[in-house]
Amino acid sequence: MAVVVRLYAGAREAAGAERVVIDHPPETLGGLVAELSRRGGATQAGTGIAEVLSRCSFLGDGRRLDEDAALGGVSTVDVMPPFAGG
């Protein structure tokens, strides 16, 4: 089952895409973050995607995920960088 990763704000800029489809997602969020980091990218300020992702919150089908969260059954992961001073 594929996972659609929706990227917002600085994460979108660093990835160079609004969304990424992972056809064979890893078992955990940590694995997904590693996969996105391997794909590379950087913001205009030169911040690499791995650094951006390290500051993000993640929602799986609307529920907050931690690094060890299993992705089985999750169809959408939202990548939410800190915004509005948060």
Side-chain angles (χ1 to χ4, degrees):
M1 176 172 154
V3 170
V4 175
V5 180
R6 299 187 298 198
L7 301 127
Y8 297 92
R12 178 183 336 179
E13 180 186 353
E18 188 173 306
R19 62 180 38 199
V20 176
V21 177
I22 308 291
D23 290 322
H24 302 287
E27 293 182 18
T28 65
L29 177 64
L32 181 68
V33 170
E35 171 68 23
L36 292 170
S37 295
R38 276 192 295 278
R39 291 174 179 230
T43 65
Q44 289 180 349
T47 304
I49 190 156
E51 184 178 341
V52 172
L53 294 173
S54 73
R55 296 187 307 251
C56 290
S57 297
F58 300 88
L59 302 175
D61 294 335
R63 294 176 291 126
R64 186 172 173 101
L65 300 173
D66 63 21
E67 185 177 344
D68 297 325
L71 295 180
V74 173
S75 61
T76 303
V77 174
D78 293 313
V79 181
M80 312 291 292
F83 54 91

